Amino acid sequence: MFHPSRLDDGIPVEIWQLIFDNLVGETRTLARVGLVSRSWRTLSLPFLLKEVDLGSHNNGRLPEYETPSFPLLRGVAMADYSDEYRPRSLVPRQRAFLGLITERPELAMHVKAFTWTLVWIDFDEDGLTDMDLQTWDVFNRLQNVTRLDLASLHNISDQPYIRQTPAGLFPAVTHLRLVGWMHRGLVKAILASLDANKLGCLKLDHLQDEGALPNGEPIPQDLATKHSHHPGDPYGDEGIDDNLWARQERGDAAIFPGPMWFPLRFLRQRCLGSMKHLHIKLGPFADTLDQRNDITMFHETTKFIKSAKDTLKTISIGLGEHPTLHCEDEDLLGSCGTSRITIRQIYRPFCFDLTSAFLHRLLAVLTEERFPNLKRVDLEGFRIIRNGTSRLARPPNPDLTWQYIRDCPFIDDEFTKMANVDYRQPFSGYDYYLSKMDQDKLDKLEEILETS
């Protein structure tokens, strides 16, 4: 039996605690320690749970899923592209953790760093299990997590529980990373719970809004594409204003898939007294998505930086470059003639205008505002501004942007040569169709989508 002051061999418990604490992060070693005896398991388990990594999105590049014969489409496969790339052990391990915390909820207090990939359903399964339905309860018990790395990579639209998040999650978070595509309710539950004044690091890695109909259901891909909005001028458009945002929050307007700007707007309206590190990665621009999300993301990024200017130490922003953006003409020979013309005459000018609009706003803030603690700014994926052309008849004068580049104290023009080729496919909504509804209801829904 475990004695409160000594283990079986007479070494004081305090010494073993120091040893086990030194092993935090070495999951396999601590797991083996727990097999030695009951007393060792009792003492080592809290240290094993201190850093929980039950994710697959950080597994990096996966050559076994790549298709070299289609280099512009599947030339590179990364673990955070899709839940298809997860190891088969992931869901069983996640369910084992859910079971442990459900049976012994007092252990939840020991979890300080938490990494999790939301995939929900295992291979060859059709729905959620009883243990999966404990996910939000278990997450709600993780009150002491300070470092949260959460990804959502699933393609499940027909399981209501997935979007029935508690009002608050992870209140102690000071370092937050969000990856993949998520419903806004989950992100809001996290942001509304944490103390923004203590948040020191925010990382949004290709974070996208999964989109929602006014009733909260995921928006189908076909409706999202059909009713997406495409303002003609990314330089002057304001994106999604506070009025439309309020309508979205009330359920009077739809939310379209695209870059999730919501965390930046939500947090910048609160006190950001400790924000030191901002890291944002955006996937390649897609002309099939609602362009207002891109524009709003640009605005909210610059406003967030301005709000946290007194404390920021590092800023890292990466724009994903579609493989066709800078490839040689001979690399496009495998595409049909129409596709080649579209890439050259429509898609590349489209990307140029969005990139230029974002960069202009970003550099204006970095040049005109004072940042007493800012030490480093990393920008990548902006190469197109060097030789791209606008699709607009009267584009803004690019000389002002280059003047900002020359005047900005944190960068030089070398960043315009930094590549950031990204093969991920944009999330454009779930591939499903609404259940049969009468024509009047459908017409009313489409009217709301048009005015959203």
Side-chain angles (χ1 to χ4, degrees):
M1 175 179 284
F2 174 69
H3 190 274
S5 62
R6 291 182 175 272
L7 288 175
D8 300 359
D9 55 8
I11 298 177
V13 169
E14 293 78 11
I15 300 299
W16 286 113
Q17 289 175 329
L18 290 173
I19 293 173
F20 295 155
D21 188 55
N22 196 50
L23 293 174
V24 168
E26 299 185 28
T27 304
R28 292 186 177 181
T29 302
L30 281 171
R32 293 191 185 102
V33 165
L35 298 176
V36 173
S37 66
R38 288 185 180 181
S39 56
W40 278 44
R41 175 174 172 78
T42 300
L43 192 62
S44 65
L45 188 55
F47 297 95
L48 177 63
L49 294 174
K50 195 171 183 178
E51 294 183 2
V52 174
D53 185 349
L54 290 168
S56 61
H57 58 280
N58 295 321
N59 289 349
R61 185 170 177 176
L62 305 172
E64 63 269 28
Y65 292 100
E66 297 174 359
T67 308
S69 56
F70 295 95
L72 296 182
L73 293 177
R74 298 179 65 92
V76 172
M78 303 294 290
D80 63 347
Y81 282 7
S82 168
D83 63 347
E84 297 178 9
Y85 304 149
R86 69 185 185 271
R88 288 193 167 270
S89 62
L90 179 63
V91 173
R93 289 167 53 227
Q94 289 181 337
R95 288 172 179 165
F97 174 80
L98 295 175
L100 175 65
I101 302 301
T102 299
E103 292 178 9
R104 299 187 59 187
E106 73 278 4
L107 293 175
M109 65 177 291
H110 298 293
V111 183
K112 301 297 177 63
F114 190 63
T115 300
W116 191 280
T117 305
L118 290 165
V119 297
W120 294 99
I121 296 176
D122 208 352
F123 296 105
D124 303 322
E125 291 182 344
D126 296 324
L128 302 178
T129 65
D130 290 341
M131 188 53 65
D132 297 326
L133 299 178
Q134 300 300 316
T135 300
W136 298 136
D137 288 338
V138 170
F139 279 21
N140 199 32
R141 295 181 184 277
L142 302 178
Q143 297 286 307
N144 294 329
V145 170
T146 58
R147 293 178 175 271
L148 177 62
D149 181 356
L150 183 65
S152 177
L153 301 177
H154 66 84
N155 284 284
I156 305 170
S157 60
D158 60 350
Q159 299 289 330
Y161 174 81
I162 290 177
R163 294 164 186 87
Q164 295 172 354
T165 50
L169 292 170
F170 306 109
V173 165
T174 59
H175 292 70
L176 176 62
R177 179 175 183 240
L178 300 175
V179 183
W181 48 94
M182 297 184 182
H183 63 101
R184 192 176 290 182
L186 171 57
V187 178
K188 183 188 293 186
I190 298 170
L191 299 181
S193 300
L194 59 80
D195 184 348
N197 195 43
K198 296 180 180 178
L199 185 63
C201 178
L202 178 65
K203 295 184 177 182
L204 306 179
D205 281 350
H206 310 103
L207 182 65
Q208 301 171 79
D209 201 314
E210 70 172 17
L213 295 170
N215 64 2
E217 294 181 9
I219 188 169
Q221 185 181 66
D222 62 329
L223 289 179
T225 302
K226 178 180 178 181
H227 296 283
S228 60
H229 298 254
H230 303 277
D233 181 9
Y235 300 92
D237 192 83
E238 293 301 315
I240 297 173
D241 58 21
D242 287 338
N243 179 56
L244 179 52
W245 181 33
R247 289 177 55 210
Q248 292 176 343
E249 295 298 290
R250 293 195 306 266
D252 295 332
I255 300 171
F256 289 89
M260 186 182 276
W261 45 266
F262 171 77
L264 299 172
R265 180 174 293 186
F266 186 93
L267 288 171
R268 72 172 173 81
Q269 296 178 351
R270 304 166 75 182
C271 180
L272 295 170
S274 302
M275 178 56 59
K276 295 180 177 63
H277 308 288
L278 176 65
H279 175 101
I280 296 176
K281 288 184 179 180
L282 300 178
F285 295 124
D287 52 7
T288 57
L289 296 180
D290 194 308
Q291 188 180 316
R292 294 173 303 172
N293 284 319
D294 293 304
I295 296 172
T296 308
M297 189 72 188
F298 303 160
H299 282 293
E300 293 304 325
T301 298
T302 55
K303 290 178 180 178
F304 184 93
I305 291 173
K306 188 174 180 179
S307 297
K309 63 181 181 180
D310 291 335
T311 57
L312 276 172
K313 290 186 175 181
T314 65
I315 298 172
S316 176
I317 297 177
L319 293 185
E321 299 172 314
H322 193 276
T324 62
L325 206 55
H326 297 285
C327 66
E328 301 295 334
D329 287 344
E330 53 264 30
D331 294 329
L332 297 176
L333 294 178
S335 304
C336 68
T338 301
S339 295
R340 293 198 296 271
I341 293 174
T342 300
I343 291 169
R344 294 182 186 128
Q345 300 183 11
I346 298 178
Y347 182 67
R348 287 175 178 172
F350 165 78
C351 292
F352 172 83
D353 283 326
L354 287 175
T355 303
S356 180
F358 185 25
L359 183 61
H360 183 86
R361 293 188 180 100
L362 182 61
L363 293 180
V365 171
L366 291 174
T367 302
E368 297 170 1
E369 299 293 334
R370 182 174 178 273
F371 295 85
N373 296 296
L374 188 58
K375 304 298 182 185
R376 180 170 179 172
V377 175
D378 292 322
L379 306 177
E380 61 180 8
F382 291 85
R383 289 185 296 166
I384 197 170
I385 70 161
R386 296 185 67 88
N387 51 23
T389 57
S390 174
R391 58 178 175 161
L392 301 181
R394 300 180 63 183
N397 188 344
D399 291 344
L400 182 57
T401 299
W402 282 100
Q403 185 62 48
Y404 276 133
I405 293 175
R406 289 188 289 271
D407 294 344
C408 184
F410 304 107
I411 59 168
D412 55 40
D413 64 0
E414 286 300 308
F415 82 90
T416 63
K417 304 175 185 178
M418 299 293 293
N420 188 31
V421 180
D422 194 335
Y423 290 78
R424 77 187 63 245
Q425 296 297 312
F427 181 79
S428 56
Y430 293 106
D431 187 14
Y432 83 105
Y433 296 96
L434 294 176
S435 57
K436 188 176 181 180
M437 64 173 61
D438 61 59
Q439 191 62 42
D440 289 341
K441 290 184 178 180
L442 182 59
D443 291 343
K444 185 176 181 179
L445 174 59
E446 299 221 26
E447 182 180 343
I448 293 174
L449 293 174
E450 281 298 313
T451 60
S452 293

